[in-house]
Amino acid sequence: MKKLNIFLLILFVLSFIFCTYKVLNFYKEDKNEEDLKKELVDIVNIPDILSEEPEFKIDFDELRKINPDVVGWIVIEGTQVNYPVVRGNNNSYYLNHSYDKKWSGYGSIFMDCNSSLDFSDFNTFVYGHSTKNGTMFGELYKFMDVNFFNDHPKFYLYTPSANYLVEIFSAYVDDTESDSYNQIFSSWEKYKDYLDTIISKSKYQTNISVDYSSDRIITLYSCSKEANHSKRDRYFIHGKLTKI
């Protein structure tokens, strides 16, 4: 009995040490992510009040000294989204690597590896983790509320070649096998059919018109936080790109 008590005591102490390590490591990682974000935000000098000023430019040359994979910067008011967008050689690396290519459970905001660097494709997917603390894409759930959307119907995407106003025209939850997960279209008609489909899925209707013959779109994609959601559920936030 005494040996059993000693074993249980040792097991408890080891469990306590492991849990303490995990908590401290979490706070350290959280602090590192905050420090890096502050450093990058200071470099790009995003204005406090965003506007459609074509003169505003981000120093992407400076950002690419930290990471040459940077392809843009995304800002969504009303959320914590104020991050560089990167593109890797695959869609796995930036799930657990930060903008400085160091390991991070938060990952990064990243473009699909098959997309064009200048966001010129019909539909460019951009991914980010749905974190508990709201960083990365942890606050995309807010767009499931029509009142939040009415207050924040647009966001901004800055790239080395152009700045874009992004007008949200559809937002909803669907699963990983959804036909919404599509980036390549064999014809204009297929692209038009896709636009009709994703507009019909939206939780609310908007007055944003998307022209299949000329407009390009961006899709923000992240795990869902909705009640009773499954592991396959994802947020789809579709926006039309308009050059500023």
Side-chain angles (χ1 to χ4, degrees), residues 27-57:
Y27 282 111
K28 179 182 178 182
E29 188 175 318
D30 193 43
K31 181 67 164 54
N32 290 342
E33 196 275 332
E34 288 180 5
D35 290 345
L36 179 58
K37 180 177 179 179
K38 184 177 185 304
E39 176 188 344
L40 296 177
V41 168
D42 288 343
I43 291 174
V44 300
N45 195 26
I46 297 287
D48 293 332
I49 301 176
L50 298 175
S51 63
E52 286 92 68
E53 293 296 330
E55 294 81 11
F56 174 71
K57 301 293 182 184

Side-chain angles (χ1 to χ4, degrees), residues 23-216:
V23 170
L24 292 176
N25 191 59
F26 169 79
Y27 282 111
K28 179 182 178 182
E29 188 175 318
D30 193 43
K31 181 67 164 54
N32 290 342
E33 196 275 332
E34 288 180 5
D35 290 345
L36 179 58
K37 180 177 179 179
K38 184 177 185 304
E39 176 188 344
L40 296 177
V41 168
D42 288 343
I43 291 174
V44 300
N45 195 26
I46 297 287
D48 293 332
I49 301 176
L50 298 175
S51 63
E52 286 92 68
E53 293 296 330
E55 294 81 11
F56 174 71
K57 301 293 182 184
I58 285 179
D59 189 349
F60 283 101
D61 290 336
E62 195 65 27
L63 285 175
R64 284 171 169 168
K65 290 178 182 178
I66 300 173
N67 186 349
D69 290 343
V70 172
V71 296
W73 190 285
I74 185 172
V75 182
I76 305 178
E77 293 179 300
T79 75
Q80 297 183 54
V81 177
N82 188 9
Y83 299 110
V85 181
V86 292
R87 191 191 75 169
N89 295 324
N90 55 59
N91 288 334
S92 300
Y93 182 80
Y94 282 110
L95 286 173
N96 51 27
H97 287 82
S98 191
Y99 332 106
D100 57 359
K101 294 196 171 185
K102 293 180 180 178
W103 192 95
S104 169
Y106 292 109
S108 298
I109 303 300
F110 62 99
M111 171 196 282
D112 189 279
C113 66
N114 297 305
S115 296
S116 299
L117 293 171
D118 60 357
F119 294 85
S120 61
D121 297 330
F122 286 112
N123 184 18
T124 301
F125 268 75
V126 175
Y127 311 108
H129 279 308
S130 182
T131 61
K132 291 182 178 179
N133 66 358
T135 57
M136 300 304 152
F137 278 170
E139 292 183 326
L140 286 191
Y141 72 89
K142 292 183 175 182
F143 285 105
M144 297 301 103
D145 180 352
V146 67
N147 293 319
F148 180 83
F149 165 76
N150 287 334
D151 292 334
H152 305 87
K154 59 188 178 183
F155 59 92
Y156 295 88
L157 175 68
Y158 304 101
T159 78
S161 58
N163 295 341
Y164 294 95
L165 171 70
V166 185
E167 299 173 282
I168 298 171
F169 64 90
S170 180
Y172 53 91
V173 174
D174 211 337
D175 65 46
T176 54
E177 300 299 320
S178 168
D179 52 2
S180 297
Y181 194 75
N182 191 357
Q183 304 172 78
I184 300 174
F185 307 94
S186 58
S187 66
W188 293 106
E189 289 73 20
K190 294 291 186 182
Y191 182 46
K192 181 181 183 301
D193 290 343
Y194 175 80
L195 291 175
D196 291 341
T197 296
I198 61 177
I199 290 172
S200 69
K201 291 183 178 184
S202 183
K203 286 180 66 70
Y204 40 77
Q205 299 303 307
T206 74
N207 59 1
I208 305 300
S209 175
V210 186
D211 187 342
Y212 73 93
S213 65
S214 58
D215 290 328
R216 300 294 183 266

